[in-house]
Amino acid sequence: MKRIWNLALGTAVLCAALLCGCTFNGSTAPAGSAPADPLTGQELQYPGERVAAVVIDNAPASTTQWGIGSASVVLEALTVNGRPTSLCLAYPSVSAMPTVGPVTLGQDLYWRLLSGQEVLPIQRGAGQFTRNYLDYYNLRAVDALEVGRNAFSCDDVWSGAPLWHTSGEEITSVLGRLNLSGALGDHGSSASSSASTAEDSSAISALPALLPQAKEPRLPEPGSRDAEQVLINFAPQSTTGFAYDAASSSYGMLRADGSAQLDTNTGTQARFDNLLVLYSASSLRDDGLTLDYDLSFGGGVWLNGGRLWHITWTQGTDSTFVFYDADGRPLSICAGRSYIAMVSSVTGQELTVLDSAGQNALN
């Protein structure tokens, strides 16, 4: 049962309550508390290190995907009309990155969304708009087309390279020669420009989180809908699904054919605590194919623990995203691993959410 979503920005939407692990407040942690991981809101395990993010192939024929099950955040969007989506896997540091791939074209949308975390982009080539973005902000990606086998591997003839992959260890080995670092402040951030270690540590802890997340428990309140099955149809060749598993309190990722989306590293299904489907106005760029997304504000839905809430989102100063309920109150979501989809009305993308009875949960 599908419903086409017209993206009416600024429209008030219903957010009845918050699920266990979340609170109504504008901050992700109480003042004076230990800094949290900027991607998950959980305990910070890699202080002072940049987020590392890799764009991987997500075409229907791409059934071998490394690292998707261990990424802290997975981003997905349709960036080029007529082509499948790609996935961006974000890790809290290079050292936290396992084998990842198949590495594919970088996308400026993903680098924009992760810019607050001083992202280290990892890609295999890029289109002109992405190259322009990196050049404009004086950012350098670790690109397979530049470093080749020094940091990337494939299980086939290199010229064809259908499954290029890499790892944190391999990326670390080339950072020096690329004049890059996995540490915060690598490209001129004021956060680490002070001389004192104590000052640096304090500045680093103040870097913005990607999402407004909180750990404080709160039981679900009446009004939220149960949400068991999710289907996001980005394009005819790009559909991503999820099924809620009560035993693990997580959403298992599904391919377009309904099979489990597996992490080749472990052979297990990729699972997420939070699903965020965010609606954004988009427009075609000058080439008539590439989509440019408005990242200023929009509506959306948040799913967690088998429940669904309607939200609005905007850009904030303390986090890349700020969420609000229908009364305009800032909304914190649950700490944990998150999948974030950016969807647009331009290409007629569709979202389907079914409850436990198989009924439309979006009404």
Side-chain angles (χ1 to χ4, degrees):
M1 185 174 186
K2 294 185 177 180
R3 175 178 178 181
I4 298 176
W5 284 83
N6 291 321
L7 314 182
L9 300 182
T11 301
V13 294
L14 175 64
C15 178
L18 294 177
L19 186 66
C20 177
C22 314
T23 57
F24 272 118
N25 59 61
S27 62
T28 59
S33 64
D37 186 301
L39 297 179
T40 65
Q42 297 172 330
E43 180 182 357
L44 182 64
Q45 297 182 356
Y46 300 92
E49 297 190 41
R50 296 170 65 184
V51 166
V54 189
V55 182
I56 70 168
D57 187 11
N58 193 43
S62 180
T63 57
T64 302
Q65 293 174 313
W66 295 273
I68 190 172
S70 57
S72 298
V73 171
V74 172
L75 303 169
E76 184 172 12
L78 183 69
T79 54
V80 181
N81 274 340
R83 298 183 186 177
T85 62
S86 60
L87 299 175
C88 180
L89 314 185
Y91 300 89
S93 75
V94 175
S95 56
M97 194 173 76
T99 298
V100 293
V103 184
T104 191
L105 290 172
Q107 301 292 339
D108 63 288
L109 172 63
Y110 298 146
W111 307 148
R112 288 162 62 195
L113 289 171
L114 295 168
S115 61
Q117 290 70 49
E118 297 190 26
V119 63
L120 175 64
I122 302 168
Q123 61 190 32
R124 190 194 75 191
Q128 187 60 55
F129 296 104
T130 301
R131 293 197 298 271
N132 290 346
Y133 175 84
L134 294 173
D135 290 344
Y136 183 84
Y137 288 101
N138 195 28
L139 301 175
R140 188 169 189 183
V142 181
D143 198 316
L145 298 185
E146 178 182 2
V147 301
R149 290 188 182 274
N150 292 312
F152 294 81
S153 306
C154 70
D155 301 325
D156 207 331
V157 178
W158 183 256
S159 59
L163 296 175
W164 292 22
H165 50 84
T166 186
S167 67
E169 182 178 359
E170 291 175 293
I171 294 298
T172 299
S173 69
V174 299
L175 292 181
R177 73 185 71 177
L178 295 175
N179 196 29
L180 289 171
S181 167
L184 290 173
D186 171 65
H187 47 85
S189 167
S190 61
S192 59
S193 60
S194 58
S196 124
T197 301
E199 289 175 342
D200 285 350
S201 175
S202 174
I204 288 169
S205 68
L207 287 176
L210 178 65
L211 299 167
Q213 293 177 301
K215 298 179 182 179
E216 295 83 355
R218 181 178 181 137
L219 295 175
E221 297 178 8
S224 60
R225 294 290 301 273
D226 70 295
E228 299 284 334
Q229 301 286 332
V230 180
L231 193 68
I232 309 166
N233 184 15
F234 294 95
Q237 70 275 45
S238 293
T239 300
T240 298
F242 296 90
Y244 182 67
D245 175 53
S248 62
S249 299
S250 64
Y251 283 91
M253 196 172 191
L254 304 172
R255 303 183 62 81
D257 61 5
S259 61
Q261 191 134 4
L262 304 179
D263 186 332
T264 304
N265 289 333
T266 62
T268 59
Q269 185 179 24
R271 294 189 170 278
F272 300 90
D273 302 300
N274 299 300
L275 302 184
L276 290 156
V277 182
L278 306 180
Y279 311 139
S280 169
S282 67
S283 58
L284 286 174
R285 287 167 160 168
D286 294 341
D287 62 359
L289 292 173
T290 308
L291 289 169
D292 187 23
Y293 285 78
D294 180 357
L295 300 184
S296 58
F297 64 98
V301 297
W302 165 49
L303 297 96
N304 177 284
R307 311 293 290 183
L308 175 147
W309 295 266
H310 293 278
I311 63 172
T312 54
W313 64 270
T314 186
Q315 286 188 324
T317 56
D318 295 328
S319 60
T320 302
F321 291 107
V322 175
F323 300 144
Y324 297 93
D325 71 350
D327 296 321
R329 294 177 296 180
L331 170 66
S332 294
I333 69 169
C334 304
R337 299 181 65 241
S338 300
Y339 165 90
I340 306 172
M342 301 295 298
V343 301
S344 169
S345 63
V346 168
T347 54
Q349 297 174 30
E350 297 176 335
L351 170 65
T352 301
V353 183
L354 302 180
D355 61 21
S356 55
Q359 301 299 309
N360 187 353
L362 294 172
N363 293 334

